[in-house]
Amino acid sequence: MLTPYKLLTPGPLTVTDRVRQAMDFDYCTWDEDYKAVTQKIRHDLLQIAGVDPERYTSILLQGSGSYAVEACLSTFSYPGSKFLILSNGKYGERMLQMADYQHLDYETYKVGYDEVHDPQVLDCLLDNNPDISHVMMVHSETTSGILNPIADIAQVAKAHDCFFFVDAMSSFGGVPIDMTPIDALITSANKCIQGVPGFAIVIVRKDLIEASKGNSSTLSLDLFDQYQEMAKDGKWRYTSPTHVVMAFNEALKEFKERGGVEAQHARYQKNQELLQEGMEALGFTAYVPKENQGPIITTFLYPEGQTWDFQDMYHYIKERGYVIYPGKLTDVDTFRIGNIGEIYPEDIERVLDIFKAYMEENNNDKN
């Protein structure tokens, strides 16, 4: 029998009983009540984003967040378009893989996993490559926990008349985002709104999606077709994840009751600060410089001289009610601890106690 535990990961994450219970009923994809829920979700997402529904729309797409990233690359590319993909982690690198698979024309601006991109370097890159039409990057890069400066990058991209796309998978709903310079934002049901996995979300300018007809190189990932069908009455193309949709609808209700983005961000930030302060007191060092550290997940280096087996530590913590993430970054031994979802300061305090106990037991064993 599985031992119950909470997830200290950046998604999937621990959800409330209310969200789980919303999946107890079976819904028909063609039912008018169900389609109305889809339309309500689309409207609520625009409200959270703080955008004008006359200028922006939201599109829901079956699959994980990566499906929507790939769908954007395909749907918004056109003859003569060229992407600049910014990367400082595994999810930026995944964008590059997708671009290769689709044979897109693109340039890359890569920096280290613990570094952010320099707007001045970006400015030079765009000056030297005037054919670049799209700039795309990750906001919260959960490979390391770094929070990238999308506002600074957007300013440069817009100065060069580029479309600006943001993978806000692990930040939308949990970090305030100014959508003004963002042409398309991508997120997922199982992140900061605190739903369960099953569909991804694209919030995009209407004129951009309406000009994208015929661009997509795939049928099921064609965001234009998905938008056209969904905008009519809320009907998804193909089978929709009905239980996941109802769970997300309940998660949206809770999200509003908790106080929305500002309240969610304050809790996540408090969790992260408590975690980092406590781990540092135990001898762990954060991988990302504090000025670039996001509130979603934190990567820690092993204390100097410690050579613990990660799986042993992982199972010790899991047996006591929590699951953390591995975090091997190139040649650096690390692990990651997330603090979003139904996680509160008392959970962080408990996890710190577990780490302290593990360290004491491990050191005693060595002696």
Side-chain angles (χ1 to χ4, degrees):
M1 183 176 177
L2 291 174
T3 303
Y5 52 76
K6 289 188 175 183
L7 297 171
L8 297 178
T9 63
L13 38 71
T14 297
V15 300
T16 65
D17 289 339
R18 273 177 60 181
V19 169
R20 293 189 197 95
Q21 289 163 4
M23 296 186 285
D24 281 349
F25 190 86
D26 300 323
Y27 290 85
C28 172
T29 57
W30 290 85
D31 183 75
E32 294 301 321
D33 291 339
Y34 175 74
K35 290 190 289 184
V37 170
T38 295
Q39 297 295 60
K40 175 183 175 296
I41 288 172
R42 296 178 65 226
H43 174 74
D44 286 352
L45 287 166
L46 297 180
Q47 283 192 322
I48 293 169
V51 294
D52 181 355
E54 295 298 314
R55 294 190 62 239
Y56 284 81
T57 189
S58 61
I59 307 167
L60 314 182
L61 182 69
Q62 300 92 325
S64 72
S66 292
Y67 284 56
V69 174
E70 192 155 13
C72 282
L73 284 166
S74 178
T75 301
F76 298 115
S77 62
Y78 49 81
S81 64
K82 184 175 184 179
F83 285 80
L84 175 63
I85 298 174
L86 280 60
S87 174
N88 60 347
K90 293 295 184 184
Y91 297 97
E93 290 168 5
R94 187 174 296 175
M95 288 181 188
L96 299 173
Q97 284 183 290
M98 293 171 179
D100 284 334
Y101 267 75
Q102 295 185 37
H103 307 291
L104 300 181
D105 189 12
Y106 71 90
E107 297 288 338
T108 308
Y109 175 19
K110 294 182 75 171
V111 297
Y113 285 9
D114 60 343
E115 299 177 81
V116 296
H117 298 87
D118 186 336
Q120 292 184 335
V121 173
L122 175 66
D123 192 47
C124 290
L125 275 169
L126 293 176
D127 278 340
N128 294 331
N129 295 273
D131 54 340
I132 289 173
S133 54
H134 301 63
V135 175
M136 193 169 189
M137 71 181 300
V138 177
H139 187 200
S140 174
E141 178 52 90
T142 55
T143 303
S144 63
I146 207 164
L147 193 68
N148 285 313
I150 56 172
D152 295 339
I153 297 301
Q155 185 176 359
V156 177
K158 287 301 172 183
H160 289 266
D161 296 321
C162 294
F163 294 118
F164 185 53
F165 291 2
V166 175
D167 171 345
M169 210 68 62
S170 299
S171 58
F172 181 77
V175 178
I177 297 173
D178 178 9
M179 283 289 296
T180 305
I182 298 174
D183 298 294
L185 178 147
I186 308 154
T187 188
S188 180
N190 61 294
K191 300 289 185 173
C192 294
I193 305 297
Q194 297 186 187
V196 300
F199 70 87
I201 299 156
V202 179
I203 297 172
V204 59
R205 279 179 24 213
K206 279 187 177 179
D207 61 328
L208 194 58
I209 187 65
E210 290 171 356
S212 68
K213 182 178 180 179
N215 287 347
S216 180
S217 59
T218 75
L219 177 64
S220 59
L221 296 184
D222 188 337
L223 286 175
F224 175 82
D225 279 359
Q226 187 85 339
Y227 163 67
Q228 288 282 289
E229 187 72 26
M230 195 167 279
K232 292 176 188 175
D233 63 356
K235 176 71 173 65
W236 299 54
R237 290 186 309 155
Y238 319 132
T239 302
S240 68
T242 52
H243 298 79
V244 175
V245 170
M246 300 311 294
F248 189 75
N249 186 51
E250 196 63 37
L252 280 170
K253 294 176 187 176
E254 289 188 333
F255 181 82
K256 293 177 183 178
E257 291 167 9
R258 283 193 296 262
V261 177
E262 296 297 333
Q264 204 86 312
H265 179 251
R267 175 163 59 91
Y268 292 168
Q269 189 70 53
K270 179 65 173 177
N271 286 347
Q272 195 283 327
E273 290 170 356
L274 281 172
L275 175 68
Q276 184 162 345
E277 181 181 338
M279 291 296 282
E280 287 177 349
L282 293 173
F284 295 91
T285 303
Y287 175 74
V288 171
K290 189 162 287 189
E291 63 269 20
N292 298 327
Q293 175 64 55
I296 307 302
I297 191 168
T298 311
T299 297
F300 292 101
L301 302 166
Y302 285 92
E304 192 170 341
Q306 295 285 357
T307 56
W308 299 327
D309 176 73
F310 175 79
Q311 287 301 320
D312 180 63
M313 181 172 70
Y314 173 90
H315 287 294
Y316 183 93
I317 297 167
K318 179 180 176 182
E319 288 165 2
R320 287 153 182 80
Y322 294 92
V323 164
I324 64 173
Y325 250 25
K328 182 73 173 177
L329 305 175
T330 60
D331 58 346
V332 182
D333 286 325
T334 61
F335 59 90
R336 293 171 286 171
I337 305 178
N339 47 246
I340 65 175
E342 277 300 287
I343 300 296
Y344 293 86
E346 53 266 32
D347 292 295
I348 302 302
E349 297 289 353
R350 172 65 180 143
V351 170
L352 290 170
D353 287 342
I354 294 170
F355 266 97
K356 183 178 180 181
Y358 180 80
M359 293 177 71
E360 290 173 351
E361 290 183 25
N362 185 269
N363 290 331
N364 288 335
D365 288 343
K366 286 183 177 180
N367 294 331

PDB file of all heavy atoms in Angstrom, residues 136-162:
ATOM      1  N   MET A 136      11.214  33.937 -27.629  1.00  0.00           N
ATOM      2  CA  MET A 136      10.491  33.003 -26.769  1.00  0.00           C
ATOM      3  C   MET A 136      11.371  32.592 -25.604  1.00  0.00           C
ATOM      4  O   MET A 136      12.571  32.313 -25.797  1.00  0.00           O
ATOM      5  CB  MET A 136      10.082  31.774 -27.586  1.00  0.00           C
ATOM      6  CG  MET A 136       9.064  30.865 -26.930  1.00  0.00           C
ATOM      7  SD  MET A 136       8.448  29.653 -28.152  1.00  0.00           S
ATOM      8  CE  MET A 136       7.120  28.908 -27.228  1.00  0.00           C
ATOM      9  N   MET A 137      10.806  32.542 -24.405  1.00  0.00           N
ATOM     10  CA  MET A 137      11.601  32.192 -23.230  1.00  0.00           C
ATOM     11  C   MET A 137      10.722  31.608 -22.133  1.00  0.00           C
ATOM     12  O   MET A 137       9.494  31.714 -22.163  1.00  0.00           O
ATOM     13  CB  MET A 137      12.352  33.415 -22.695  1.00  0.00           C
ATOM     14  CG  MET A 137      11.476  34.453 -22.035  1.00  0.00           C
ATOM     15  SD  MET A 137      12.398  35.907 -21.443  1.00  0.00           S
ATOM     16  CE  MET A 137      13.534  35.177 -20.276  1.00  0.00           C
ATOM     17  N   VAL A 138      11.370  31.006 -21.140  1.00  0.00           N
ATOM     18  CA  VAL A 138      10.711  30.476 -19.955  1.00  0.00           C
ATOM     19  C   VAL A 138      10.753  31.530 -18.856  1.00  0.00           C
ATOM     20  O   VAL A 138      11.770  32.211 -18.684  1.00  0.00           O
ATOM     21  CB  VAL A 138      11.424  29.190 -19.476  1.00  0.00           C
ATOM     22  CG1 VAL A 138      10.795  28.673 -18.189  1.00  0.00           C
ATOM     23  CG2 VAL A 138      11.396  28.116 -20.564  1.00  0.00           C
ATOM     24  N   HIS A 139       9.675  31.674 -18.115  1.00  0.00           N
ATOM     25  CA  HIS A 139       9.653  32.608 -16.988  1.00  0.00           C
ATOM     26  C   HIS A 139      10.255  31.949 -15.752  1.00  0.00           C
ATOM     27  O   HIS A 139      11.357  32.284 -15.329  1.00  0.00           O
ATOM     28  CB  HIS A 139       8.226  33.088 -16.722  1.00  0.00           C
ATOM     29  CG  HIS A 139       8.126  34.172 -15.708  1.00  0.00           C
ATOM     30  ND1 HIS A 139       6.962  34.466 -15.035  1.00  0.00           N
ATOM     31  CD2 HIS A 139       9.056  35.043 -15.227  1.00  0.00           C
ATOM     32  CE1 HIS A 139       7.159  35.475 -14.218  1.00  0.00           C
ATOM     33  NE2 HIS A 139       8.428  35.844 -14.294  1.00  0.00           N
ATOM     34  N   SER A 140       9.534  31.003 -15.170  1.00  0.00           N
ATOM     35  CA  SER A 140      10.051  30.279 -14.000  1.00  0.00           C
ATOM     36  C   SER A 140      10.671  28.971 -14.493  1.00  0.00           C
ATOM     37  O   SER A 140       9.957  28.029 -14.830  1.00  0.00           O
ATOM     38  CB  SER A 140       8.915  29.988 -13.012  1.00  0.00           C
ATOM     39  OG  SER A 140       9.369  29.173 -11.952  1.00  0.00           O
ATOM     40  N   GLU A 141      11.982  28.933 -14.546  1.00  0.00           N
ATOM     41  CA  GLU A 141      12.708  27.758 -15.047  1.00  0.00           C
ATOM     42  C   GLU A 141      12.936  26.803 -13.884  1.00  0.00           C
ATOM     43  O   GLU A 141      13.829  26.995 -13.058  1.00  0.00           O
ATOM     44  CB  GLU A 141      14.035  28.194 -15.686  1.00  0.00           C
ATOM     45  CG  GLU A 141      14.931  27.106 -16.206  1.00  0.00           C
ATOM     46  CD  GLU A 141      14.263  26.123 -17.150  1.00  0.00           C
ATOM     47  OE1 GLU A 141      14.262  26.363 -18.364  1.00  0.00           O
ATOM     48  OE2 GLU A 141      13.774  25.094 -16.635  1.00  0.00           O
ATOM     49  N   THR A 142      12.087  25.779 -13.808  1.00  0.00           N
ATOM     50  CA  THR A 142      12.109  24.899 -12.639  1.00  0.00           C
ATOM     51  C   THR A 142      13.267  23.909 -12.644  1.00  0.00           C
ATOM     52  O   THR A 142      13.420  23.148 -11.692  1.00  0.00           O
ATOM     53  CB  THR A 142      10.773  24.148 -12.490  1.00  0.00           C
ATOM     54  OG1 THR A 142      10.474  23.454 -13.698  1.00  0.00           O
ATOM     55  CG2 THR A 142       9.645  25.116 -12.170  1.00  0.00           C
ATOM     56  N   THR A 143      14.082  23.917 -13.686  1.00  0.00           N
ATOM     57  CA  THR A 143      15.326  23.149 -13.643  1.00  0.00           C
ATOM     58  C   THR A 143      16.162  23.574 -12.448  1.00  0.00           C
ATOM     59  O   THR A 143      16.776  22.748 -11.762  1.00  0.00           O
ATOM     60  CB  THR A 143      16.137  23.370 -14.930  1.00  0.00           C
ATOM     61  OG1 THR A 143      15.340  23.004 -16.058  1.00  0.00           O
ATOM     62  CG2 THR A 143      17.421  22.550 -14.921  1.00  0.00           C
ATOM     63  N   SER A 144      16.165  24.899 -12.191  1.00  0.00           N
ATOM     64  CA  SER A 144      16.989  25.452 -11.115  1.00  0.00           C
ATOM     65  C   SER A 144      16.172  26.213 -10.073  1.00  0.00           C
ATOM     66  O   SER A 144      16.584  26.343  -8.932  1.00  0.00           O
ATOM     67  CB  SER A 144      18.030  26.408 -11.704  1.00  0.00           C
ATOM     68  OG  SER A 144      17.371  27.510 -12.323  1.00  0.00           O
ATOM     69  N   GLY A 145      15.021  26.751 -10.488  1.00  0.00           N
ATOM     70  CA  GLY A 145      14.239  27.624  -9.614  1.00  0.00           C
ATOM     71  C   GLY A 145      14.411  29.086  -9.937  1.00  0.00           C
ATOM     72  O   GLY A 145      13.826  29.950  -9.276  1.00  0.00           O
ATOM     73  N   ILE A 146      15.184  29.382 -10.964  1.00  0.00           N
ATOM     74  CA  ILE A 146      15.459  30.769 -11.330  1.00  0.00           C
ATOM     75  C   ILE A 146      14.206  31.424 -11.898  1.00  0.00           C
ATOM     76  O   ILE A 146      13.398  30.776 -12.566  1.00  0.00           O
ATOM     77  CB  ILE A 146      16.630  30.803 -12.348  1.00  0.00           C
ATOM     78  CG1 ILE A 146      17.390  32.121 -12.282  1.00  0.00           C
ATOM     79  CG2 ILE A 146      16.147  30.526 -13.774  1.00  0.00           C
ATOM     80  CD1 ILE A 146      18.749  32.069 -12.962  1.00  0.00           C
ATOM     81  N   LEU A 147      14.004  32.703 -11.605  1.00  0.00           N
ATOM     82  CA  LEU A 147      12.903  33.474 -12.161  1.00  0.00           C
ATOM     83  C   LEU A 147      13.493  34.472 -13.144  1.00  0.00           C
ATOM     84  O   LEU A 147      14.196  35.406 -12.761  1.00  0.00           O
ATOM     85  CB  LEU A 147      12.134  34.200 -11.058  1.00  0.00           C
ATOM     86  CG  LEU A 147      10.779  34.783 -11.472  1.00  0.00           C
ATOM     87  CD1 LEU A 147       9.771  33.682 -11.782  1.00  0.00           C
ATOM     88  CD2 LEU A 147      10.225  35.690 -10.374  1.00  0.00           C
ATOM     89  N   ASN A 148      13.223  34.247 -14.423  1.00  0.00           N
ATOM     90  CA  ASN A 148      13.835  35.068 -15.458  1.00  0.00           C
ATOM     91  C   ASN A 148      13.149  36.427 -15.596  1.00  0.00           C
ATOM     92  O   ASN A 148      11.930  36.539 -15.388  1.00  0.00           O
ATOM     93  CB  ASN A 148      13.796  34.315 -16.795  1.00  0.00           C
ATOM     94  CG  ASN A 148      14.819  33.202 -16.846  1.00  0.00           C
ATOM     95  OD1 ASN A 148      15.976  33.383 -16.498  1.00  0.00           O
ATOM     96  ND2 ASN A 148      14.383  32.012 -17.258  1.00  0.00           N
ATOM     97  N   PRO A 149      13.916  37.471 -15.957  1.00  0.00           N
ATOM     98  CA  PRO A 149      13.388  38.849 -16.008  1.00  0.00           C
ATOM     99  C   PRO A 149      12.617  39.110 -17.297  1.00  0.00           C
ATOM    100  O   PRO A 149      13.085  39.803 -18.203  1.00  0.00           O
ATOM    101  CB  PRO A 149      14.665  39.691 -15.931  1.00  0.00           C
ATOM    102  CG  PRO A 149      15.709  38.852 -16.607  1.00  0.00           C
ATOM    103  CD  PRO A 149      15.361  37.416 -16.269  1.00  0.00           C
ATOM    104  N   ILE A 150      11.397  38.587 -17.372  1.00  0.00           N
ATOM    105  CA  ILE A 150      10.654  38.685 -18.633  1.00  0.00           C
ATOM    106  C   ILE A 150      10.312  40.124 -19.000  1.00  0.00           C
ATOM    107  O   ILE A 150      10.222  40.457 -20.185  1.00  0.00           O
ATOM    108  CB  ILE A 150       9.390  37.810 -18.621  1.00  0.00           C
ATOM    109  CG1 ILE A 150       8.469  38.152 -17.443  1.00  0.00           C
ATOM    110  CG2 ILE A 150       9.745  36.332 -18.605  1.00  0.00           C
ATOM    111  CD1 ILE A 150       7.120  37.439 -17.509  1.00  0.00           C
ATOM    112  N   ALA A 151      10.115  40.997 -18.015  1.00  0.00           N
ATOM    113  CA  ALA A 151       9.776  42.390 -18.328  1.00  0.00           C
ATOM    114  C   ALA A 151      10.923  43.078 -19.056  1.00  0.00           C
ATOM    115  O   ALA A 151      10.712  43.802 -20.042  1.00  0.00           O
ATOM    116  CB  ALA A 151       9.424  43.145 -17.045  1.00  0.00           C
ATOM    117  N   ASP A 152      12.165  42.850 -18.592  1.00  0.00           N
ATOM    118  CA  ASP A 152      13.337  43.454 -19.238  1.00  0.00           C
ATOM    119  C   ASP A 152      13.533  42.906 -20.646  1.00  0.00           C
ATOM    120  O   ASP A 152      13.860  43.641 -21.579  1.00  0.00           O
ATOM    121  CB  ASP A 152      14.597  43.187 -18.403  1.00  0.00           C
ATOM    122  CG  ASP A 152      14.552  43.857 -17.044  1.00  0.00           C
ATOM    123  OD1 ASP A 152      13.778  44.818 -16.876  1.00  0.00           O
ATOM    124  OD2 ASP A 152      15.285  43.409 -16.140  1.00  0.00           O
ATOM    125  N   ILE A 153      13.341  41.592 -20.796  1.00  0.00           N
ATOM    126  CA  ILE A 153      13.511  40.962 -22.112  1.00  0.00           C
ATOM    127  C   ILE A 153      12.414  41.434 -23.060  1.00  0.00           C
ATOM    128  O   ILE A 153      12.663  41.713 -24.243  1.00  0.00           O
ATOM    129  CB  ILE A 153      13.488  39.430 -21.978  1.00  0.00           C
ATOM    130  CG1 ILE A 153      14.663  38.948 -21.109  1.00  0.00           C
ATOM    131  CG2 ILE A 153      13.530  38.770 -23.346  1.00  0.00           C
ATOM    132  CD1 ILE A 153      16.038  39.313 -21.620  1.00  0.00           C
ATOM    133  N   ALA A 154      11.191  41.543 -22.554  1.00  0.00           N
ATOM    134  CA  ALA A 154      10.071  41.989 -23.387  1.00  0.00           C
ATOM    135  C   ALA A 154      10.305  43.381 -23.941  1.00  0.00           C
ATOM    136  O   ALA A 154       9.994  43.662 -25.103  1.00  0.00           O
ATOM    137  CB  ALA A 154       8.784  41.958 -22.573  1.00  0.00           C
ATOM    138  N   GLN A 155      10.867  44.251 -23.118  1.00  0.00           N
ATOM    139  CA  GLN A 155      11.110  45.622 -23.548  1.00  0.00           C
ATOM    140  C   GLN A 155      12.035  45.653 -24.765  1.00  0.00           C
ATOM    141  O   GLN A 155      11.801  46.394 -25.731  1.00  0.00           O
ATOM    142  CB  GLN A 155      11.719  46.429 -22.396  1.00  0.00           C
ATOM    143  CG  GLN A 155      11.897  47.897 -22.695  1.00  0.00           C
ATOM    144  CD  GLN A 155      12.409  48.675 -21.488  1.00  0.00           C
ATOM    145  OE1 GLN A 155      12.619  48.109 -20.415  1.00  0.00           O
ATOM    146  NE2 GLN A 155      12.605  49.966 -21.653  1.00  0.00           N
ATOM    147  N   VAL A 156      13.074  44.820 -24.734  1.00  0.00           N
ATOM    148  CA  VAL A 156      14.016  44.770 -25.861  1.00  0.00           C
ATOM    149  C   VAL A 156      13.355  44.131 -27.080  1.00  0.00           C
ATOM    150  O   VAL A 156      13.493  44.614 -28.213  1.00  0.00           O
ATOM    151  CB  VAL A 156      15.283  43.985 -25.469  1.00  0.00           C
ATOM    152  CG1 VAL A 156      16.231  43.867 -26.661  1.00  0.00           C
ATOM    153  CG2 VAL A 156      15.980  44.658 -24.290  1.00  0.00           C
ATOM    154  N   ALA A 157      12.635  43.033 -26.852  1.00  0.00           N
ATOM    155  CA  ALA A 157      11.969  42.347 -27.968  1.00  0.00           C
ATOM    156  C   ALA A 157      11.002  43.290 -28.682  1.00  0.00           C
ATOM    157  O   ALA A 157      10.953  43.325 -29.924  1.00  0.00           O
ATOM    158  CB  ALA A 157      11.237  41.113 -27.455  1.00  0.00           C
ATOM    159  N   LYS A 158      10.244  44.045 -27.914  1.00  0.00           N
ATOM    160  CA  LYS A 158       9.266  44.945 -28.509  1.00  0.00           C
ATOM    161  C   LYS A 158       9.932  46.116 -29.226  1.00  0.00           C
ATOM    162  O   LYS A 158       9.404  46.621 -30.230  1.00  0.00           O
ATOM    163  CB  LYS A 158       8.303  45.456 -27.431  1.00  0.00           C
ATOM    164  CG  LYS A 158       7.319  44.394 -26.971  1.00  0.00           C
ATOM    165  CD  LYS A 158       6.510  43.909 -28.156  1.00  0.00           C
ATOM    166  CE  LYS A 158       5.648  42.729 -27.852  1.00  0.00           C
ATOM    167  NZ  LYS A 158       4.922  42.239 -29.046  1.00  0.00           N
ATOM    168  N   ALA A 159      11.083  46.553 -28.720  1.00  0.00           N
ATOM    169  CA  ALA A 159      11.823  47.620 -29.396  1.00  0.00           C
ATOM    170  C   ALA A 159      12.278  47.192 -30.786  1.00  0.00           C
ATOM    171  O   ALA A 159      12.519  48.028 -31.662  1.00  0.00           O
ATOM    172  CB  ALA A 159      13.028  48.036 -28.558  1.00  0.00           C
ATOM    173  N   HIS A 160      12.380  45.881 -30.980  1.00  0.00           N
ATOM    174  CA  HIS A 160      12.770  45.325 -32.290  1.00  0.00           C
ATOM    175  C   HIS A 160      11.562  44.754 -33.039  1.00  0.00           C
ATOM    176  O   HIS A 160      11.735  44.011 -34.023  1.00  0.00           O
ATOM    177  CB  HIS A 160      13.832  44.244 -32.101  1.00  0.00           C
ATOM    178  CG  HIS A 160      15.167  44.785 -31.684  1.00  0.00           C
ATOM    179  ND1 HIS A 160      16.174  45.085 -32.589  1.00  0.00           N
ATOM    180  CD2 HIS A 160      15.659  45.104 -30.458  1.00  0.00           C
ATOM    181  CE1 HIS A 160      17.228  45.541 -31.932  1.00  0.00           C
ATOM    182  NE2 HIS A 160      16.944  45.563 -30.640  1.00  0.00           N
ATOM    183  N   ASP A 161      10.368  45.107 -32.599  1.00  0.00           N
ATOM    184  CA  ASP A 161       9.122  44.682 -33.267  1.00  0.00           C
ATOM    185  C   ASP A 161       8.978  43.176 -33.376  1.00  0.00           C
ATOM    186  O   ASP A 161       8.461  42.649 -34.371  1.00  0.00           O
ATOM    187  CB  ASP A 161       9.018  45.317 -34.670  1.00  0.00           C
ATOM    188  CG  ASP A 161       8.909  46.833 -34.611  1.00  0.00           C
ATOM    189  OD1 ASP A 161       8.215  47.335 -33.704  1.00  0.00           O
ATOM    190  OD2 ASP A 161       9.521  47.504 -35.460  1.00  0.00           O
ATOM    191  N   CYS A 162       9.423  42.472 -32.347  1.00  0.00           N
ATOM    192  CA  CYS A 162       9.288  41.014 -32.322  1.00  0.00           C
ATOM    193  C   CYS A 162       8.054  40.608 -31.528  1.00  0.00           C
ATOM    194  O   CYS A 162       7.676  41.279 -30.564  1.00  0.00           O
ATOM    195  CB  CYS A 162      10.518  40.378 -31.670  1.00  0.00           C
ATOM    196  SG  CYS A 162      12.048  40.579 -32.599  1.00  0.00           S
TER     197      CYS A 162
END
